[in-house]
Amino acid sequence: MTSNPIMKLLKEPRWSPYLVGILLGVLSWITFATMNKALGTSTTMVRAAGGVERLVAPEHVDNEPYFVKYLGTAAEPKPVIEWQFALVIFLAIGAFVAATLSGKIKSEHVPDLWEQRFGPSRWFRYAAAFLGGMILIIGARMAGGCTSGHGLSGGMQLSTSGWIFMGAMFAGGLPTAALLYAGLRTKGGAS
Amino acid sequence: MNAWFADPTTLLLGAITGLFFGFLLQKGGVTNFNVIVNQFRLKDFTVLKVMMTAIIVGGLGIYAMRLIGMDVPLHIKGTALLANTLGGLIFGVGMVILGYCPGTAVAAIGAGSRHAIIGVLGMLVGAGIYAELYPWLKANILEVGSIGKVTIPEQIHISPFVLLIPLLIGAIVILPRLGKNASNPSRV
């Protein structure tokens, strides 16, 4: 019990989606107006993968036009760890702080919904997560962005690419969810 | 010169942005696997509510700042009809299998999700595979229907507010009617 309303809000495990949406919008105003940046995350996966390849096989990276595009060449390198990379690292820290404030960090190996449908095997869940991550990033890089770059940033700028991406994302995701979770009887959202 | 790090100010600004971004994703419940998958099962509309609200508020603010003459450059990504569509479809399939998108997966790691770590490893491998495929994709897929860095209001010659204001009214009317109760993250 705390009397400070701000502290009380910070300790709430879950905020209204509208409040969160409004604050994400305001965060975007700030990055656009003061940093000349738009929120995004998936390019960082390219920089991280290319950075690792640069460590183990630098000459190979020089022959990969896609990595050269983001990381330059060995002779003229561009930094691996830049604004968005720092953002992505601190995404985890921000979520950690938010979860810690509401006092409920617990390890999740197999999410409830997955377990109801596919059972409690950790390894099956890990294999699916790996495969899903691989598929998702190939799609994101082909499209030129993900839920944050195309969805949030592209969506708010009313960019044509962003809205096409969001439509396609649901067009791919809805039937996948229907197929994967067909026949599962849960209350789902309606509690 | 430095092959690894951008200047400290840039890194600090990125870190602060990420800190708030991750904090908000967690409080919004969208770092939760069940919430994301249930959006695609149409059982929980939290993801749509967060995204649409952020898009409308963000868009109104950014275009309002530009309207009053502030120097706020846009950051428009190129439109390529085939690549945006095909990439988005593939992304949607992967997102439902993983149960996160790239940003929410990284944030979920901070909030205790162990399988999200594996998901991010998959993303790194996927990025490496994409780099190998890139020359072929560039020659055959990426340029198809490429129309440059365009926005919808530019293309149809209207003010962005003519889209944003109806979007705002639509959101106020429709979003609260969708899935009255958000799924509780501790249950399904």
Side-chain angles (χ1 to χ4, degrees):
Chain A
M1 281 294 191
T2 166
S3 52
N4 183 338
I6 305 258
M7 226 24 237
K8 190 163 174 290
L9 181 67
L10 291 176
K11 286 181 177 175
E12 286 288 331
R14 198 74 184 265
W15 290 0
S16 150
Y18 306 112
L19 174 62
V20 170
I22 289 167
L23 293 174
L24 285 172
V26 172
L27 181 63
S28 291
W29 302 351
I30 296 169
T31 64
F32 269 78
T34 69
M35 306 177 199
N36 196 15
K37 294 280 186 191
L39 295 177
T41 51
S42 69
T43 316
T44 295
M45 300 303 164
V46 177
R47 292 208 174 86
V52 172
E53 285 197 27
R54 187 191 264 174
L55 281 177
V56 292
E59 64 294 334
H60 183 63
V61 174
D62 278 8
N63 293 321
E64 294 268 26
Y66 195 63
F67 284 144
V68 170
K69 186 172 154 180
Y70 293 103
L71 298 176
T73 59
E76 281 182 62
K78 295 180 196 168
V80 174
I81 297 165
E82 38 61 83
W83 185 82
Q84 195 195 83
F85 205 114
L87 180 156
V88 170
I89 302 289
F90 275 77
L91 270 178
I93 297 170
F96 172 81
V97 172
T100 306
L101 277 170
S102 37
K104 43 166 286 193
I105 288 223
K106 51 180 182 114
S107 299
E108 179 189 79
H109 293 273
V110 180
D112 299 340
L113 181 59
W114 180 272
E115 185 169 345
Q116 285 173 28
R117 176 66 183 85
F118 297 104
S121 164
R122 283 186 185 187
W123 295 105
F124 187 51
R125 174 58 204 149
Y126 289 170
F130 190 86
L131 180 74
M134 223 166 69
I135 294 172
L136 158 167
I137 213 73
I138 291 172
R141 295 331 300 166
M142 187 184 296
C146 63
T147 338
S148 46
H150 263 324
L152 291 179
S153 300
M156 68 180 62
Q157 297 178 88
L158 303 171
S159 86
T160 310
S161 52
W163 285 86
I164 293 175
F165 175 83
M166 281 191 284
M169 175 182 104
F170 277 100
L174 291 171
T176 308
L179 281 172
L180 280 182
Y181 292 91
L184 181 64
R185 284 162 190 271
T186 54
K187 293 192 298 285
S191 58
Chain B
M1 188 185 140
N2 189 325
W4 292 98
F5 292 98
D7 65 283
T9 311
T10 301
L11 293 178
L12 181 67
L13 291 174
I16 293 168
T17 306
L19 193 68
F20 281 99
F21 194 8
F23 189 95
L24 290 170
L25 291 176
Q26 173 66 20
K27 290 298 188 194
V30 292
T31 54
N32 185 289
F33 173 99
N34 305 313
V35 170
I36 292 184
V37 173
N38 276 334
Q39 173 65 72
F40 287 95
R41 297 174 70 214
L42 303 177
K43 305 272 187 196
D44 179 332
F45 286 85
T46 304
V47 173
L48 195 69
K49 288 173 184 173
V50 169
M51 285 194 71
M52 289 312 296
T53 310
I55 285 171
I56 292 163
V57 171
L60 285 170
I62 288 164
Y63 279 113
M65 288 190 286
R66 291 167 61 83
L67 189 70
I68 60 169
M70 284 172 68
D71 177 28
V72 180
L74 294 183
H75 298 270
I76 306 292
K77 290 171 183 281
T79 294
L81 300 174
L82 181 59
N84 293 149
T85 307
L86 191 58
L89 284 168
I90 296 170
F91 182 87
V93 173
M95 182 166 171
V96 169
I97 296 173
L98 173 57
Y100 304 107
C101 60
T104 50
V106 174
I109 293 173
S113 170
R114 295 291 186 258
H115 56 111
I117 300 175
I118 312 293
V120 171
L121 289 176
M123 290 180 207
L124 295 175
V125 172
I129 294 171
Y130 185 82
E132 301 289 332
L133 299 175
Y134 178 74
W136 185 87
L137 289 170
K138 192 170 168 59
N140 295 285
I141 307 273
L142 301 182
E143 319 266 311
V144 179
S146 178
I147 52 177
K149 299 184 175 186
V150 291
T151 68
I152 300 168
E154 260 168 32
Q155 285 189 292
I156 55 178
H157 308 289
I158 52 165
S159 154
F161 295 101
V162 176
L163 293 175
L164 285 168
I165 290 166
L167 212 51
L168 172 66
I169 295 167
I172 291 171
V173 174
I174 296 167
L175 290 182
R177 291 165 200 268
L178 297 172
K180 270 179 71 186
N181 298 304
S183 59
N184 183 329
S186 62
R187 288 174 294 141
V188 175

